[in-house]
Amino acid sequence: MTKFFKFVAIAEGVSYLVLFFNMLVIKPTNMDLYKTLLFPVGMAHGLLFMGYVLLAILIREEQKWSLKDFFIVQFASLLPFATFYVEKKYIKNA
């Protein structure tokens, strides 16, 4: 399950960055492409976000995270690039 969490953490981080790219770069230049990409990218990011949060809850005991570490892992889902940091620093034995 830890390997799957690592995959979801990376995919969630990438989807977050793609969503930002879609909003900040594509929207001002090409509104039609923005509208086309918004739903699939947003849906993928939403599903990956929920998967990240649920998997973090499930592997908390396995990873022996303290309450502070667990909240850092959860908070990381809200910040760009933070899931990459979590994947490197907090995931053990994967």
Side-chain angles (χ1 to χ4, degrees), residues 32-82:
D32 292 334
L33 181 59
Y34 165 76
K35 289 179 182 177
T36 303
L37 292 176
L38 183 61
F39 180 76
V41 172
M43 179 64 74
H45 172 68
L47 292 172
L48 287 166
F49 173 80
M50 290 187 296
Y52 177 90
V53 170
L54 291 173
L55 285 170
I57 292 168
L58 293 174
I59 68 167
R60 178 180 175 209
E61 293 299 319
E62 178 184 327
Q63 292 294 309
K64 298 177 177 63
W65 290 330
S66 67
L67 191 59
K68 178 186 170 190
D69 290 340
F70 177 69
F71 282 120
I72 289 171
V73 168
Q74 292 291 8
F75 186 69
S77 66
L78 303 174
L79 303 173
F81 299 104

Side-chain angles (χ1 to χ4, degrees), residues 11-31:
E12 197 272 338
V14 169
S15 73
Y16 201 11
L17 296 175
V18 169
L19 195 59
F20 274 138
F21 181 79
N22 189 33
M23 290 185 316
L24 299 174
V25 176
I26 296 175
K27 183 178 180 181
T29 59
N30 188 343
M31 188 59 96

